[in-house]
Amino acid sequence: MHIFVYPPLGTLTSVHKPQVRFRVYFAYSLAERVCAEDGKVEIWTNIYNDEWQGIPLEHVVSDGAHPELAFIDLKQLEPASSMLQFSLDIDVAALPAHLHRFEFTVRWRSSNLVDWKWVGGFEHNASVIVYRPLPRTRAPVSFWQQQLKAMLQPTTEPESTSSGYIADSWHASSSGASCLIRPHSSDNDILCQMAAVERYLAFVRKDHFWIIPQYGSSSIETGKFEVVLLLVELSSGVYAALMPFSLGSTLSHGAVLTVQPSNYVSHQHDYLPFAWVLIDDGWQMVDKYDGYGRLYDIYANSEKFPGQLKQTADALTKLGIQRVGVWHTLWGYWGGIDPAGPLAERYKLIKCHRTWSPVVKGESDVWLISPEFVYEFYDSFYFWLSEQGVSFVKVDYQAAFESLDSYDDRSSEASRKPIIEMYDAYYNAMEHAALKYFGSGSIVYCMAQSPHLITRAMRLQQQCTTEDSSSERMVLRNSDDYFPDVIASHGWHLNCNMANTVWSRCLSKYFTGDWDMFQPHRAESHVHAVARIVSGGLVYMTGQAADFTADSMCDLGINEHMVPHAQSLLDSDCLFADMTKVPAILGSTIVVPGNDSVVIALFNVSSDLAVTPMSLCSMYSTAIERQSGIQAASFTLATAGIAHPSSGEYFAIHQKSTNRLHIVPSSLTACS
């Protein structure tokens, strides 16, 4: 027998809704049948007072027309063949006014003649935080000032009355261009001791190149990781986001951010809907193709491309490809420039020392084009590319400047300044040349999730006049790489991308998101295809030519019926939980302009079977509020998936008459 509980046992759940919902599902075989007439299921809880008590759940008999959402494939639970559902809804208004947090577990028995059985082990209770509804009005500035004051008050008393003691709890360090919250230097490695914090989501630097989500409650502990953005859920029920900004080269302060609705993506595509082709790493003239390889010259490897790039670009254009792009790193290649090659004769080079990084697991010297010559280099490079038929570039390894030892020297701002200036010079030269020869929206930024780029993009998008055209926006990789052969990484990849939209949406006026390529022929390809389609960004794939047939693309949902939409918005219930470790459903909403509809995408990214009761209101209310005038269609249909191939595919269908969300097998083609 398999028993599923919502809210999940062993986890912390926040309830911002009018009701606290409890669900227990029994998946059983005939031999294990639970007698619904005599059986009882209770939550054992302290919800009403300090004394624990049992509260019975009601057996729900589904008529098949209005089922509760149970994201479970019974075929996976052999020999299980049937399911019983028990439910309990408690109005928040009926709970004691002082209640803020309670715990519960579940017990059951098949009849009054047998003892209770407990679900979950000792100290495996579920914790639930209850928030009373806040007024849905714009709060005055004084309200947020009070919230921040309460939050930034350390939970421990300072050793002295110095006015700077809050800074002792929140260590920030600036490079003069961007700023990070760094871990404590003390042994406990606690970032800060903030008051009134229930849960947090910290966006931390995995390394120089990537930002990943990290979750926790109460005490904010990020270990060795530096924090770029901190999102907290306060005991008052409000959310606050803190991001350090540099006011110079001294300690900076936090700011509250407001996330604006994403602009719509606007693009056209024909069937098959391939518009761009990217020639990836391996085409350049380098001394070796690895992390130590150095760029010899700007031209293509003549052994691989005897007709240079133009022959290939012309052939692709005849096939209907609209744009051909090439890959290179911001330095030219992973190891910089070959000091013995022709580029060294044309441009002045600077010798730098590169420290260990995940790309190059060792130290090495690199030769880079001097900042005063980098404009000339990029102008010549991109002019030649444009003559070859190239119209966009994927620029990788962008945060590599931060792997240089002089940049990493935190003891001296003076030693960092030349590297920062070179960092900006390369960006300015590359972007200027790309706009000049390829036009707007012609750069894919990769390995670029650094505070330096983020704060730079925030400044640039203040000058951006783009309203609704994705062709005028750059493309920014939203997460670390897709690893097809690492099965355990697929759920993490989806969760990381969905979480990172919290901050990447703030850059949506300047960037559109890129959830990385995927392969179309694998068992988990359907899940990745759905994720890319609902991401609001590019959908692109890699693999063998035989994998890209019309049937295989249609099977993945990639066809002429794809419609442009805004960037997906993470459901608030998933905001502060690592969904790869919680047996619940990762959800997001997407506004589809022109169709008067909101699409809901659901994924199970955990290693366990997941169950979550849902209604449309709980999923898309934020999307509706952000897009005035949108009305739900009678039925909104979206492909949804489970991050484990054995779990199969499903459709998510909203039925307006009941305001419920149904999950049905893909074999069901209509709903009445």
Side-chain angles (χ1 to χ4, degrees):
M1 181 182 298
H2 300 266
I3 304 175
F4 304 91
V5 178
Y6 182 86
L9 298 180
T11 66
L12 174 64
T13 302
S14 291
V15 176
H16 292 264
K17 301 177 178 67
Q19 290 182 321
V20 183
R21 310 177 70 188
F22 302 92
R23 297 294 185 271
V24 179
Y25 302 89
F26 291 83
Y28 60 93
S29 66
L30 293 177
E32 300 170 320
R33 179 171 180 81
V34 178
C35 180
E37 292 77 12
D38 298 329
K40 291 184 178 180
V41 178
E42 293 184 345
I43 60 167
W44 184 254
T45 179
N46 61 350
I47 189 171
Y48 287 114
N49 50 54
D50 294 336
E51 295 295 327
W52 287 66
Q53 60 180 304
I55 303 176
L57 279 70
E58 178 184 358
H59 174 222
V60 178
V61 179
S62 173
D63 59 8
H66 304 89
E68 284 277 344
L69 185 155
F71 210 62
I72 298 174
D73 184 359
L74 291 177
K75 294 180 180 179
Q76 298 180 74
L77 305 177
E78 296 294 348
S81 59
S82 301
M83 180 177 293
L84 286 176
Q85 176 187 327
F86 294 82
S87 67
L88 170 66
D89 294 338
I90 299 179
D91 291 337
V92 171
L95 296 175
H98 67 275
L99 178 71
H100 179 60
R101 183 191 293 247
F102 69 91
E103 295 184 25
F104 80 92
T105 187
V106 173
R107 65 181 187 177
W108 66 280
R109 58 185 178 184
S110 57
S111 73
N112 292 330
L113 302 178
V114 298
D115 293 334
W116 290 102
K117 296 182 179 180
W118 297 88
V119 180
F122 181 68
E123 295 186 346
H124 194 63
N125 297 341
S127 294
V128 180
I129 302 174
V130 178
Y131 294 106
R132 269 62 181 181
L134 294 171
R136 302 190 65 80
T137 58
R138 186 176 296 277
V141 174
S142 58
F143 170 81
W144 292 105
Q145 290 174 336
Q146 293 173 357
Q147 297 295 320
L148 284 173
K149 182 178 180 180
M151 178 177 60
L152 294 175
Q153 177 65 39
T155 57
T156 57
E157 292 296 325
E159 296 180 0
S160 67
T161 58
S162 170
S163 60
Y165 76 88
I166 287 183
D168 292 334
S169 297
W170 181 10
H171 289 267
S173 177
S174 169
S175 67
S178 59
C179 194
L180 296 164
I181 306 174
R182 297 195 185 280
H184 267 237
S185 58
S186 59
D187 294 336
N188 60 16
D189 238 3
I190 296 177
L191 173 69
C192 49
Q193 298 274 347
M194 293 183 180
V197 173
E198 295 289 355
R199 298 187 298 175
Y200 70 86
L201 166 56
F203 292 98
V204 303
R205 303 195 72 186
K206 174 187 175 185
D207 47 45
H208 297 309
F209 311 103
W210 303 115
I211 293 173
I212 60 174
Q214 191 176 87
Y215 307 84
S217 58
S218 301
S219 297
I220 302 173
E221 303 181 18
T222 62
K224 64 179 181 180
F225 296 110
E226 300 168 334
V227 179
V228 177
L229 175 66
L230 180 65
L231 186 65
V232 296
E233 180 182 62
L234 302 179
S235 57
S236 59
V238 303
Y239 299 158
L242 288 95
M243 183 176 185
F245 288 97
S246 173
L247 300 179
S249 59
T250 58
L251 184 71
S252 51
H253 69 287
V256 176
L257 305 180
T258 300
V259 179
Q260 298 296 331
S262 174
N263 294 307
Y264 295 143
V265 176
S266 174
H267 56 157
Q268 297 178 347
H269 26 109
D270 297 319
Y271 190 84
L272 288 174
F274 295 125
W276 295 11
V277 167
L278 174 71
I279 302 173
D280 215 327
D281 186 6
W283 69 270
Q284 293 172 283
M285 294 181 65
V286 298
D287 57 359
K288 52 186 174 181
Y289 292 102
D290 61 20
Y292 295 94
R294 294 167 173 172
L295 185 65
Y296 182 77
D297 210 337
I298 62 174
Y299 309 115
N301 185 322
S302 58
E303 294 182 1
K304 297 182 177 182
F305 295 87
Q308 289 295 294
L309 296 176
K310 185 168 179 57
Q311 182 178 1
T312 302
D314 289 346
L316 289 169
T317 301
K318 290 179 181 179
L319 293 174
I321 299 301
Q322 299 171 20
R323 304 184 73 175
V324 177
V326 296
W327 173 100
H328 68 85
T329 75
L330 188 58
W331 289 351
Y333 202 66
W334 298 107
I337 307 299
D338 188 343
L343 290 177
E345 298 177 2
R346 296 199 290 268
Y347 309 110
K348 177 184 175 181
L349 302 185
I350 297 177
K351 183 180 180 181
C352 302
H353 185 71
R354 178 174 58 179
T355 59
W356 186 96
S357 74
V359 175
V360 184
K361 297 177 173 60
E363 298 186 13
S364 62
D365 291 331
V366 293
W367 294 86
L368 305 178
I369 294 175
S370 179
E372 63 264 33
F373 289 94
V374 73
Y375 266 87
E376 183 181 344
F377 164 74
Y378 266 107
D379 189 83
S380 175
F381 185 21
Y382 283 5
F383 169 75
W384 178 79
L385 288 177
S386 67
E387 291 290 296
Q388 295 289 306
V390 171
S391 58
F392 77 96
V393 287
K394 178 178 179 179
V395 184
D396 214 336
Y397 203 41
Q398 292 192 20
F401 282 103
E402 300 184 32
S403 67
L404 301 180
D405 56 0
S406 52
Y407 184 96
D408 201 44
D409 182 6
R410 299 171 182 174
S411 63
S412 173
E413 290 288 339
S415 65
R416 296 162 63 93
K417 186 176 180 180
I419 302 299
I420 295 167
E421 292 176 348
M422 186 158 61
Y423 206 161
D424 286 329
Y426 270 68
Y427 266 134
N428 292 335
M430 181 264 292
E431 291 167 346
H432 181 269
L435 181 63
K436 179 179 179 180
Y437 294 111
F438 309 140
S440 59
S442 56
I443 304 172
V444 178
Y445 291 70
C446 191
M447 297 182 72
Q449 290 184 350
S450 71
H452 190 91
L453 175 71
I454 293 172
T455 53
R456 185 175 184 275
M458 293 175 71
R459 292 195 304 269
L460 290 175
Q461 78 173 4
Q462 298 302 316
Q463 309 164 13
C464 181
T465 59
T466 300
E467 293 298 331
D468 61 357
S469 175
S470 66
S471 64
E472 296 184 4
R473 285 189 283 168
M474 304 298 185
V475 178
L476 175 65
R477 268 286 294 278
N478 196 57
S479 77
D480 199 348
D481 293 356
Y482 157 77
F483 298 103
D485 297 324
V486 184
I487 302 302
S489 73
H490 297 301
W492 180 91
H493 185 84
L494 265 63
N495 185 72
C496 181
N497 269 292
M498 203 72 77
N500 276 354
T501 60
V502 172
W503 62 265
S504 61
R505 284 175 63 92
C506 298
L507 308 177
S508 60
K509 194 174 182 180
Y510 192 72
F511 286 119
T512 187
D514 165 20
W515 289 22
D516 200 12
M517 66 188 80
F518 69 97
Q519 294 179 341
H521 64 288
R522 304 179 67 90
E524 70 281 354
S525 296
H526 286 75
V527 179
H528 284 285
V530 172
R532 303 312 189 276
I533 292 171
V534 303
S535 71
L538 301 182
V539 179
Y540 62 107
M541 289 165 284
T542 184
Q544 303 299 317
D547 300 329
F548 299 98
T549 65
D551 289 342
S552 66
M553 294 301 100
C554 282
D555 193 39
L556 292 175
I558 300 173
N559 53 53
E560 72 274 21
H561 301 299
M562 293 168 60
V563 294
H565 54 75
Q567 192 173 6
S568 59
L569 185 66
L570 182 65
D571 183 56
S572 59
D573 287 344
C574 309
L575 192 57
F576 292 99
D578 184 348
M579 301 303 290
T580 66
K581 300 177 180 178
V582 177
I585 296 172
L586 173 67
S588 68
T589 54
I590 308 97
V591 176
V592 181
N595 285 358
D596 291 336
S597 61
V598 173
V599 176
I600 295 174
L602 303 171
F603 304 92
N604 176 11
V605 297
S606 72
S607 58
D608 300 315
L609 293 172
V611 59
T612 303
M614 293 182 175
S615 69
L616 182 64
C617 291
S618 66
M619 288 293 295
Y620 79 179
S621 59
T622 304
I624 290 293
E625 292 169 2
R626 293 184 182 278
Q627 181 61 33
S628 60
I630 293 291
Q631 300 295 326
S634 296
F635 291 95
T636 301
L637 182 64
T639 307
I642 298 182
H644 304 283
S646 62
S647 300
E649 304 170 57
Y650 290 80
F651 289 113
I653 302 178
H654 165 234
Q655 186 175 3
K656 185 177 180 181
S657 60
T658 61
N659 198 31
R660 292 194 181 211
L661 187 70
H662 304 286
I663 297 297
V664 297
S666 57
S667 58
L668 184 61
T669 58
C671 182
S672 60

